[in-house]
Amino acid sequence: MDLKNARWRKARRSLSNGGECVELAEVAGAGVAVRDSKDPDGPVLLLTRAALRTAVQSAADTH
């Protein structure tokens, strides 16, 4: 999947100090791509919206 032209945006809960930044991009017909902003050429997770909601809720439940 080619994500070179993806419009990445930082997650609302990412810290503004340059650390722990998660970026998201809409992927038409596939869901949401997720990456680490410190490693933009690194691995990308492709999740459905439901899977992303579950992951975010699970992370929130651990805090």
Side-chain angles (χ1 to χ4, degrees), residues 4-24:
K4 289 179 184 164
N5 294 319
R7 298 177 80 174
W8 294 95
R9 60 182 169 77
K10 283 193 179 175
R12 287 180 282 198
R13 298 276 181 158
S14 289
L15 300 177
S16 60
N17 66 0
E20 297 185 30
C21 295
V22 174
E23 292 182 321
L24 308 171

Side-chain angles (χ1 to χ4, degrees), residues 1-2 4-5 8 14 21 23 25 27-28 30 34 37-38 41 43 51:
M1 177 171 293
D2 183 10
K4 289 179 184 164
N5 294 319
W8 294 95
S14 289
C21 295
E23 292 182 321
V27 179
V34 182
S37 66
K38 296 181 303 299
D41 295 321

